[in-house]
Amino acid sequence: MSVPRVFRTGGSPPARALQAVVVEGFTTRLAFGVVIFAMPLYARQLGMSLAEIGVLVALKPLVELIVKPIMGWTVDRWGARRGYLTAVTVRLVASILLFTAATPASLYLVRLVQGAASAARDPASISVVAGSGTRKLGRAFSISFGAKDLGAVSAGALGGLLLALSGNDFRLLWGFVGAISLVPVLVVWRWVPRPEPRPEDPPAPEEPVAVRLVKDPPPGRSRPDPELRVFRDGRLRLLCALGLLAGMTAHMTHGLFPVLAAEVAGLSPGQIGAIYSASVLVLLIVGPLAGLAADRFGAMPLTGARTLANTLSSLLYLVFPTAAGLLSGRLVDVAGRAAFRPPWGSLLAQAARRAGPRAGRVVATLDTALSVGEALGPVIAALLWDVWGLAAFLLVRAGLGVATELVVSRRLRHTVL
């Protein structure tokens, strides 16, 4: 298989930076996926209840909502390379802490550190791609997301195999995770170039003290925070709304699909696993095609792919509650997700390039909007299903998808970013 042209630039620093994002994404998701697979089993071994395990799983997205905005400021102040190194190093620390996790409290601590690392990684990696100067943003993000998907797919099978071969020896598994987690640190350190020093401005003439006092803010008042300007820009507000609504409607079935398949369609665990396997193939095929389309036709035409897929899949789940209907709905759902991510990454990178010194904060704010939606989606879905039934849950999801397309995506396509 030939190397995509976006990565073949003679080993130049920008190309190496893009390669670092791909390798880091694969190895990080591989190690993290093994932990996701094994952590609930390890928690049960420690005697934790299902409710306690549920809290353990929920800690990561909650921490991400807090850390991502802070990471945007850090990227602007330290640079994308240093922020990226910090993220992968924190991930390595979390992997090492697994060896000390012998109580529920220590396992919660590990999960908190993992959430902080995940939150720090996304704004930094997007800033690295934006700063690489590549014009093929769609392909760059489709390849990086594809590498992450491949790592995630491999993780579950690898984790199960290692536990089976070791006789459920979790310390051996944690050792493997620690070794893999060292690779991203080395790759980012070696391949992501240091930022070029900015030319120093000539020294300004000395001003009288009275003039300097007038320029300084009054006591007790600070200068306006540049991050607040994100919400004063109508284009960026539309992107925030798109991320929030698209993430929310997509994740309304996140975690609930196995329950939907088992209780409504009566599918066995093996049949559900087969649907997930088919979904992975869709991710690996549609993602690169979406990247090519985003580069050729622009990111805007694909901004509504995820919400339209959410609407169609909801109707398929509702009208055809059979194995074929669940499979079709899931494939449409995953195809929309795969088609959305490369243009979404492209839009964030374009916004970062236009933001100048506020690039990190802009990316972090937009990505946090997506994370808020993804955190709210499962909660809203469970509430709707539990109180008003399955039909209400799916119809609300379909209606939100249509509203997102009509109110946000259509307006965004007429807005030049």
Side-chain angles (χ1 to χ4, degrees), residues 77-360:
R77 187 173 181 85
W78 289 359
R81 180 180 187 273
R82 192 179 296 183
Y84 206 178
L85 268 175
T86 300
V88 294
T89 301
V90 172
R91 176 85 71 180
L92 176 61
V93 170
S95 302
I96 296 173
L97 287 176
L98 283 169
F99 284 99
T100 67
T103 63
S106 58
L107 203 57
Y108 283 131
L109 174 63
V110 171
R111 189 65 172 166
L112 288 172
V113 178
Q114 287 177 341
S118 296
R121 184 260 176 203
D122 292 339
S125 64
I126 292 172
S127 297
V128 167
V129 176
S132 68
T134 179
R135 300 176 64 183
K136 305 297 184 182
L137 286 171
R139 268 171 276 192
F141 280 107
S142 68
I143 294 168
S144 64
F145 284 130
K148 290 172 62 178
D149 290 334
L150 186 59
V153 171
S154 307
L158 184 59
L161 179 63
L162 289 174
L163 282 179
L165 294 177
S166 64
N168 288 335
D169 185 352
F170 284 95
R171 292 186 65 82
L172 177 63
L173 197 67
W174 303 152
F176 170 81
V177 170
I180 294 297
S181 299
L182 181 61
V183 175
V185 178
L186 298 176
V187 166
V188 173
W189 176 58
R190 293 284 296 176
W191 290 0
V192 177
R194 291 179 173 84
E196 296 180 1
R198 297 178 181 175
E200 295 184 0
D201 296 329
E206 184 69 19
E207 295 176 330
V209 175
V211 176
R212 293 200 301 269
L213 288 176
V214 170
K215 288 185 175 181
D216 290 334
R221 293 181 62 187
S222 59
R223 296 186 185 276
D225 184 358
E227 186 177 0
L228 297 178
R229 298 177 192 171
V230 174
F231 298 104
R232 297 177 187 174
D233 189 318
R235 298 166 298 179
L236 297 181
R237 287 200 302 269
L238 281 174
L239 276 177
C240 281
L242 175 64
L244 175 68
L245 293 172
M248 182 171 65
T249 51
H251 275 243
M252 286 180 77
T253 52
H254 183 70
L256 293 179
F257 180 80
V259 180
L260 180 69
E263 295 189 1
V264 177
L267 303 186
S268 67
Q271 291 173 313
I272 298 173
I275 290 178
Y276 272 94
S277 298
S279 303
V280 171
L281 293 176
V282 171
L283 278 175
L284 298 179
I285 293 172
V286 175
L289 294 177
L292 290 170
D295 288 336
R296 184 171 180 83
F297 305 109
M300 294 303 176
L302 293 173
T303 53
R306 193 167 189 172
T307 52
L308 290 177
N310 295 338
T311 300
L312 180 57
S313 63
S314 298
L315 296 177
L316 287 171
Y317 294 149
L318 182 63
V319 178
F320 303 104
T322 62
L326 269 289
L327 173 62
S328 301
R330 179 69 181 180
L331 294 182
V332 169
D333 216 341
V334 172
R337 173 188 170 192
F340 174 80
R341 293 186 304 174
W344 173 254
S346 298
L347 291 173
L348 263 61
Q350 292 169 21
R353 289 177 176 178
R354 287 163 173 77
R358 298 183 294 116

